[in-house]
Amino acid sequence: MKTEHALNNGPPAWLQAGPFAAVFALFFVLPLLLVGAVSFWPTSDYELVPGFTLQNYVSIFDGCGNLAEPCVTLKTYASTLTFSLLTWAVTLVLGFAVAYFLAFHVRTPGMQTLLFIVCTIPFWTSNVIRMISWVPLLGRHGLVNQALVGMGWVQEPVEWLLFSQFSVVLAFVHLYTMFMLVPIFNSMMRIDRSLLEAADDCGASGWQTLWNVVVPLSRTGILIGSIFVLTIVMGDFVTVGVMGGQQIASVGKVIQVQTSYLQFPLAAANAVVLLAVVLMIIVALNRLVDLRKEL
C-alpha cells in the first residue's frame, strides 16, 4: 500500500518524460529542422544566405525527366540501393546462420556469452582500421593475389578484388553483420523450445521446423536488423570512399563532397531526399511486420 501510495504521489508522467523529450528534441528534431531549413536557402559560393528557393531540389533532379537516359541522381541512388540490398542479403544469411548456431546449438549460457563476445571483438577497433586491413589482403600485390598466382589459379593478379564494388560490399558485410546478428539472436532466444519439440514430434524435418517455426518467430529481429543495415549503408560514405578508391558514387559520398566544397544548401537538400527514401524503406519494411505489436 505504501509503495502504491508513493507512486500515486509521484510527479506526473509528462514531467518524468520531460528530460528525455528535451534531449530528443535538442539532438534529433532540431538538427533535422535545421537541415530542412538550410535545404531551401539559396546556394552561395562562400557564405550561407538565409532565404527560400526550390532551386536546390530542382538541381538534384535536373535531367531526370528523360526515362530513356537516367540522370546522375537516379544512377547514384540505384548504385546506393544496389550496395544496400547486396549487403542486406549477405548479412541476413550470415547473421541468421550465426544467431541460429548460438541460440540452438550452443547449450550452455556461458559458452553462448563467450562466443558472442568473440563475435564482437572486431568492434573494439575503428571502422577505418578494419577497412584498411583489407588493402594488404586484396591489393594487386596482396596476400590473396599472391596465393592465387602461386597456386596457378590465375596467370596475373586479379584487379577487381580491391577498389571495386566487390570490395565495397565485402567491407560493408564485415562492418555491419553484427547489426543483423544481434537482433536476430535476441529474437531466437525468446522462442519457446517446446515449439521446436512439438514440430519434431509432428514429424517435421529440420528445414521445415526452421522455415515454419524459427523464421516466423524471428521476424522481429530480422526486421530490426534489416532496418539497421539498410539505413546505415544508405548513408555511408567512408566505406565507399576508402574501399572504392574514391571512384564509386553513392548518395552519402555526394553529400560529403558537396559539404567539402561548402555547398551546404545543396548538401542539405540531398540529405532531405535521402532521409525521405530511407523513411519509405522503413515504412515498407514495417508493413511486413508491425514492430509496435511485436515489441
Side-chain angles (χ1 to χ4, degrees):
M1 293 297 294
K2 291 183 178 180
T3 303
E4 183 179 354
H5 181 71
L7 291 175
N8 291 334
N9 290 336
W14 65 268
L15 186 57
Q16 298 180 36
F20 301 101
V23 171
F24 179 78
L26 180 61
F27 294 103
F28 183 78
V29 177
L30 182 60
L32 286 180
L33 293 177
L34 289 175
V35 171
V38 172
S39 69
F40 292 104
W41 289 7
T43 301
S44 177
D45 292 334
Y46 303 107
E47 60 181 347
L48 289 174
V49 181
F52 182 84
T53 179
L54 297 175
Q55 186 57 43
N56 296 319
Y57 291 95
V58 173
S59 300
I60 292 174
F61 296 102
D62 185 28
C64 294
N66 185 7
L67 298 179
E69 182 64 29
C71 63
V72 175
T73 299
L74 292 182
K75 290 180 179 179
T76 304
Y77 270 93
S79 173
T80 305
L81 285 171
T82 300
F83 286 137
S84 300
L85 292 176
L86 288 174
T87 305
W88 169 78
V90 178
T91 55
L92 177 59
V93 173
L94 291 178
F96 190 92
V98 175
Y100 183 83
F101 172 77
L102 292 176
F104 298 109
H105 291 278
V106 180
R107 300 299 181 182
T108 61
M111 184 57 66
Q112 283 181 338
T113 303
L114 176 62
L115 293 177
F116 192 83
I117 293 175
V118 170
C119 292
T120 63
I121 286 178
F123 282 78
W124 298 356
T125 59
S126 168
N127 282 4
V128 177
I129 294 176
R130 283 186 284 159
M131 281 186 289
I132 295 176
S133 66
W134 286 105
V135 175
L137 290 175
L138 303 178
R140 179 176 177 82
H141 301 290
L143 296 179
V144 175
N145 269 318
Q146 290 181 2
L148 292 176
V149 174
M151 291 185 293
W153 289 6
V154 295
Q155 298 300 320
E156 57 184 15
V158 180
E159 299 287 348
W160 53 263
L161 289 178
L162 187 62
F163 303 143
S164 63
Q165 294 183 351
F166 168 79
S167 61
V168 171
V169 174
L170 179 64
F172 277 142
V173 171
H174 178 208
L175 295 175
Y176 302 132
T177 297
M178 280 297 295
F179 288 91
M180 183 71 75
L181 189 157
V182 173
I184 294 178
F185 175 74
N186 185 51
S187 293
M188 287 182 177
M189 291 301 294
R190 297 181 180 182
I191 297 176
D192 189 350
R193 297 312 190 257
S194 62
L195 296 176
L196 305 182
E197 297 175 0
D200 185 62
D201 293 339
C202 291
S205 64
W207 285 107
Q208 289 174 326
T209 302
L210 176 66
W211 184 252
N212 296 300
V213 178
V214 177
V215 171
L217 294 177
S218 303
R219 60 183 182 177
T220 302
I222 294 174
L223 175 61
I224 295 175
S226 299
I227 291 175
F228 282 156
V229 171
L230 289 173
T231 54
I232 293 174
V233 174
M234 284 291 292
D236 187 284
F237 64 90
V238 177
T239 306
V240 175
V242 173
M243 300 305 295
Q246 309 295 337
Q247 301 173 6
I248 298 177
S250 72
V251 181
K253 187 64 180 174
V254 170
I255 296 174
Q256 186 265 331
V257 171
Q258 289 170 341
T259 55
S260 67
Y261 284 100
L262 305 181
Q263 298 297 312
F264 296 113
L266 191 58
N270 265 305
V272 171
V273 174
L274 175 61
L275 176 62
V277 173
V278 171
L279 288 177
M280 286 190 291
I281 293 174
I282 294 175
V283 170
L285 291 174
N286 220 10
R287 287 186 174 272
L288 300 177
V289 179
D290 192 342
L291 283 179
R292 291 174 296 180
K293 292 182 179 179
E294 296 292 335
L295 296 176

